[in-house]
Amino acid sequence: MDHTAVLALYDRDMREGARPDEPGARVERAGAVVRHVADVNGWNGVLWSDLDAASADRVIGEQIAHFTGLGLGFEWKLYGHDRPAGLGDRLLAAGFRAEPEETLLIGEATRLALDAEPPAGVRLVEAADAAGVDLVVDVHERAFGTDGTRLRHRLLSRMAADPGTVVAVVALAGDESVSAARMELVPGTRFAGLWGGGTVADWRGRGVYRALVAHRARIAAAHGYRYLQVDATPMSRPILERLGFHALSTTTPYLYGN
C-alpha cells in the first residue's frame, strides 16, 4: 500500500469531501473548515481543516461560536498530520478536552485475512429491525460502559432513510449477545468504515472480534469497496494489523461542551 497516496485519498473523500452521515444532518464548508452539523442526538464536529499558525486561533474561536450558538456541543476530530503543528495545544487552550488518541488504520478489503470465523457456538446475525438494533446497543453499553441512546437513534434513523449504507452485526452465543459492531458504506467513495466493535468482558480473547471484522470486510468487498478504515484503540490495533491493516496516522477527539 502506498501510505501517502491512500492517506491523501482518505482526506479528500472522507474528510474534505465528507457527506452527511445521518438523516437531517448537513456538511458545511466554512472557509478552511469542513464541519458536520446534526441535531442534539447526532454527531456534531469539525471533520477537516487547513489552517496555519496565523489563522488557527481565530478559526477555532469561530467554530466554538458557531456550535455554541446552535446550543450544541461538538468534537474537533484532529489527525496527527493536520496543520499547523501544535493544533491540539491550541484546542486545549481554547477550552477543549482531549479524549484518548486512536490510530487511523486502513486495509485493502480483498487483501485482508478474511477466513476468521466465530468460535464454536457463536453465530453472527445482521440487525435488520429495531429488535436487532437493541441487541447491538445492549452489547455496546455492556462492553464500553456508556449510554447507547445516541447509537440507537443513529442506527434506526440510518437504516430507515438509507438502508444500504449501514450494516450492524451482533454475535450471539445461544440467545446472549456477546459482541457487536457496525460498518458504514460511504456512497461515491472507495471507503467503508468499521465502527463500534465491542465484546463483553467474558468473551474477549476468543476470536469474536476478528470474526466480526472479517464478516464486515467480506460484505464491503462484495459491494465494491476497496478500503476499510478503522479508528483503532490500543486493544484492537494489534488484532487489525495482524489481519492486514496499515497504520497511516493518528486521530484524537477534542470535545467542547459535550
Side-chain angles (χ1 to χ4, degrees), residues 59-114:
V59 174
I60 290 170
E62 290 171 351
Q63 300 316 304
I64 291 173
H66 176 77
F67 282 104
T68 56
L70 296 173
L72 298 169
F74 73 107
E75 173 184 332
W76 193 300
K77 193 167 175 60
L78 181 67
Y79 288 77
H81 58 287
D82 286 346
R83 300 176 297 173
L87 183 54
D89 292 335
R90 293 173 183 267
L91 292 169
L92 292 174
F96 288 79
R97 67 187 187 277
E99 294 285 283
E101 180 183 273
E102 297 178 322
T103 303
L104 173 65
L105 297 178
I106 294 180
E108 292 192 61
T110 59
R111 295 189 177 186
L112 299 174
L114 301 181

Side-chain angles (χ1 to χ4, degrees), residues 139-226:
V139 170
H140 183 276
E141 292 182 331
R142 288 188 289 134
F144 298 114
T146 56
D147 179 60
T149 301
R150 286 189 175 185
L151 175 61
R152 179 181 286 105
H153 170 81
R154 181 187 185 95
L155 284 175
L156 290 174
S157 298
R158 186 81 171 264
M159 290 169 68
D162 300 297
T165 64
V166 62
V167 177
V169 187
V170 61
L172 296 173
D175 294 328
E176 180 190 3
S177 53
V178 299
S179 186
R182 71 184 190 275
M183 176 171 64
E184 297 183 3
L185 304 168
V186 185
T189 77
R190 283 166 275 188
F191 290 91
L194 303 186
W195 300 97
T199 303
V200 299
D202 290 346
W203 280 85
R204 291 171 188 163
R206 304 195 198 185
V208 184
Y209 178 80
R210 283 173 53 93
L212 281 169
V213 172
H215 180 83
R216 288 174 290 165
R218 289 191 291 265
I219 294 173
H223 282 79
Y225 285 85
R226 181 171 181 180

Side-chain angles (χ1 to χ4, degrees), residues 118-151:
V122 174
R123 68 189 191 280
L124 305 184
V125 178
E126 292 183 24
D129 53 23
V133 168
D134 283 344
L135 291 175
V136 172
V137 172
D138 174 66
V139 170
H140 183 276
E141 292 182 331
R142 288 188 289 134
F144 298 114
T146 56
D147 179 60
T149 301
R150 286 189 175 185
L151 175 61

Side-chain angles (χ1 to χ4, degrees), residues 3-71:
H3 289 195
T4 301
V6 173
L7 183 59
L9 180 65
Y10 176 81
D11 281 344
R12 187 191 74 194
D13 286 0
M14 303 297 289
R15 302 181 64 205
E16 187 176 6
R19 298 153 178 78
D21 68 359
E22 55 191 282
R26 63 188 184 274
V27 171
E28 301 174 342
R29 178 71 180 254
V33 163
V34 172
R35 62 196 180 207
H36 188 276
V37 183
D39 63 20
V40 69
N41 290 313
W43 187 86
N44 292 279
V46 173
L47 292 161
W48 176 88
S49 64
D50 183 19
L51 308 179
D52 56 30
S55 65
D57 291 336
R58 172 181 57 80
V59 174
I60 290 170
E62 290 171 351
Q63 300 316 304
I64 291 173
H66 176 77
F67 282 104
T68 56
L70 296 173

